[in-house]
Amino acid sequence: ETGVTQSPTHLIKTRGQQVTLRCSSQSGHNTVSWYQQALGQGPQFIFQYYREEENGRGNFPPRFSGLQFPNYSSELNVNALELDDSALYLCASSPQQVRSGANVLTFGAGSRLTVL
Amino acid sequence: GQSLEQPSEVTAVEGAIVQINCTYQTSGFYGLSWYQQHDGGAPTFLSYNALDGLEETGRFSSFLSRSDSYGYLLLQELQMKDSASYFCAVRSTGANNLFFGTGTRLTVIP
């Protein structure tokens, strides 16, 4: 089975620009979550998508938005980039909306965004 | 709100045993997970505890005490490849997302 793949792996943007990051979920997984990981920190939850709908959101402003497609792949869009948006953006997929148990996340290797 | 506390760094000798502690505060606890992340790599799932006690998976074990809001990850027979960051993460009731701690950087030395 294929894992979670993300693109691009690295990108550089300037303040005020917009960026789109892409994620293909693991085969058989229908739920995708996005996390932001600043250097030396743990991943911070941005939002989750299930059945193409946003299903939970962390403490991030509306300029962070996303999409999920019928094939369960997903995009993260960030508008009006700020310097503090420089981070590793991780996509994670999971098998289903888990009501019990570990809700094991399978992460991609991330997209490293640098905002200048 | 939620908070997790882990030591920022731990150093241990190859072949030894190391314990990484995690204390948490959350409104409505569902379970404690552990993830490993090598530099430049993706976090990978190690272990999960929902009930008190020890869960063993090969060289790695994880412990939870719900009454103490405390857990730990135990790594035995340390190998150089175990050098990585280790994150505890909590899942709260009614939530599908995980809240991660700031991570513990483990360095294994010869």
Side-chain angles (χ1 to χ4, degrees):
Chain A
E1 60 183 18
T2 58
V4 175
T5 57
Q6 294 187 240
S7 63
T9 54
H10 295 81
L11 68 166
I12 299 173
K13 294 285 188 178
T14 56
R15 199 170 43 179
Q17 285 190 310
Q18 177 265 343
V19 68
T20 297
L21 308 177
R22 295 179 174 82
C23 170
S24 294
S25 60
Q26 179 166 308
S27 175
H29 288 188
N30 61 15
T31 302
V32 172
S33 303
W34 285 92
Y35 287 80
Q36 180 195 65
Q37 186 176 26
L39 202 60
Q41 300 296 312
Q44 277 198 303
F45 176 67
I46 303 175
F47 43 57
Q48 181 184 86
Y49 277 82
Y50 171 66
R51 289 186 176 177
E52 302 176 51
E53 297 282 336
E54 187 179 291
N55 182 50
R57 188 178 182 94
N59 189 27
F60 281 81
R63 59 190 185 83
F64 285 78
S65 63
L67 286 171
Q68 186 181 30
F69 301 98
N71 66 354
Y72 308 128
S73 65
S74 178
E75 284 183 358
L76 165 65
N77 300 288
V78 187
N79 294 321
L81 283 168
E82 301 177 1
L83 299 180
D84 284 349
D85 295 334
S86 294
L88 181 68
Y89 288 85
L90 294 163
C91 172
S93 69
S94 50
Q96 59 189 1
Q97 285 289 283
V98 180
R99 299 302 175 192
S100 63
N103 190 24
V104 175
L105 300 179
T106 301
F107 282 89
S111 295
R112 183 163 296 283
L113 171 65
T114 302
V115 182
L116 301 176
Chain B
Q2 296 161 309
S3 70
L4 289 162
E5 278 193 30
Q6 307 177 231
S8 57
E9 294 183 356
V10 172
T11 301
V13 178
E14 190 177 13
I17 299 173
V18 71
Q19 178 174 311
I20 299 174
N21 298 321
C22 173
T23 57
Y24 61 86
Q25 281 188 317
T26 182
S27 52
F29 174 82
Y30 204 90
L32 185 72
S33 299
W34 289 91
Y35 283 76
Q36 176 193 61
Q37 185 179 30
H38 287 97
D39 286 347
T44 57
F45 172 78
L46 291 177
S47 189
Y48 173 75
N49 296 73
L51 303 175
D52 287 358
L54 193 68
E55 293 284 340
E56 297 181 71
T57 310
R59 294 188 298 114
F60 294 0
S61 303
S62 59
F63 172 82
L64 176 66
S65 169
R66 295 174 66 123
S67 60
D68 295 323
S69 298
Y70 163 76
Y72 65 72
L73 180 69
L74 192 73
L75 295 83
Q76 303 182 73
E77 300 172 17
L78 280 172
Q79 302 176 7
M80 299 299 290
K81 67 178 181 180
D82 297 330
S83 292
S85 292
Y86 292 84
F87 297 92
C88 58
V90 292
R91 182 177 170 206
S92 300
T93 51
N96 286 308
N97 65 286
L98 294 179
F99 180 84
F100 285 82
T102 53
T104 299
R105 187 172 185 87
L106 170 65
T107 303
V108 180
I109 58 176

